[in-house]
Amino acid sequence: MGIDMKQLDLSQFDLSYIEEEAAEKQQFYWVGLYYFFAKAAIEMYGEKGEEALRKGVRAYGKERGQRMRRIADSKGLPANLLTLFDYYDLMSDPRFVHPSEGLVITEEVKKSITGRCPDAEMWGRLPDGMHIGSIYCEEVHHQIYSGFDPAIQVNLCETLTNGGSFCRFHLYCRKCNQKEYPLPQYIPQIWDDFSGDMVASIHSIFCIMYFKIGRILKDELGEDAVREALEEFCYYRGARMRKLHQDKELPVNLHSFLLEGDLFLDHREQLSVREKSESEIEIVTKRNILYEVAKTYACEDLYELYQEISYSSLSRGYGEKFCYELPAGNPREEIHMVWKDCAHGND
């Protein structure tokens, strides 16, 4: 089932600020994906959709927490709050502001305040975004931290998404409450090589989110929910790219769409480009991070759905008639595409 893209009324979306830095663009990937997952699930299925969404967010959070614990165990690190935050999986978007006032961090206690959250700001520019964002905040943090160790208690009564002035985190991991916590031994994955790279870190976490939440929504609500979310998410990304390019007085053409947008931000993929003409560009990468993560989580079906929907929806959102071909026999471990501006033909 494909949605009619005219139903996505862009006048309801605030396009006054669009991210320009690579890390900020990558941050919108997961913030936007979650929003459109939530929008599709709730609009299509009501309370049942919200229930599935919350279940998906919990599954995603628990996976991240348990993954960090398994990595810590493999390194022989103590299971405490210092280890959790010293080896946290997601590098922080530089727009976050964490005042030092009241900060406490020990093996057993962490108290912190988030004064500015770019995720909340991005959700705030989307229709009903703060409510949708508050669902995420209600569910994910408890699962990340208890996934790392079930003894961790999380007090999070105030968040920016629920109308608070700050996000106030009080975490406790008392040694006396900790028990044996047997988890499968961690096997390093090829995509684990994002340490110290902010864009690669955010991209990897986006991939985990897509497959963990997407799996719950597809299994419990059906493929249509995931399909609609992806179509609207990618359409909106394309519309944002066009607006940004117009604001920066860049040409709205195939080159800008592919190379000045948000399609290939993760340097690990080692992008190479051959511009055959103004209306034909060949794109090749040596790696395909989304597919690498799909294999880890046995989600090749969701990978194929993303490939089917994302590029055409991005092009429609950008407002141009771009099309692409995949050479025969192209392995999924890399990306090889020939893009054309079908409205103008070959030069």
Side-chain angles (χ1 to χ4, degrees), residues 9 31 40 109 155 159 191 203 224-225 258 267:
D9 182 1
V31 172
V109 178
N155 295 330
T159 67
W191 51 270
H203 186 207
D224 286 351
L258 292 173
H267 77 93

Side-chain angles (χ1 to χ4, degrees), residues 7-15 35 125-128 236:
Q7 295 178 6
L8 189 61
D9 182 1
L10 293 177
S11 69
Q12 301 299 310
F13 294 76
D14 182 356
L15 293 170
Y35 171 83
R125 289 188 284 270
L126 299 169
D128 202 29
Y236 185 57

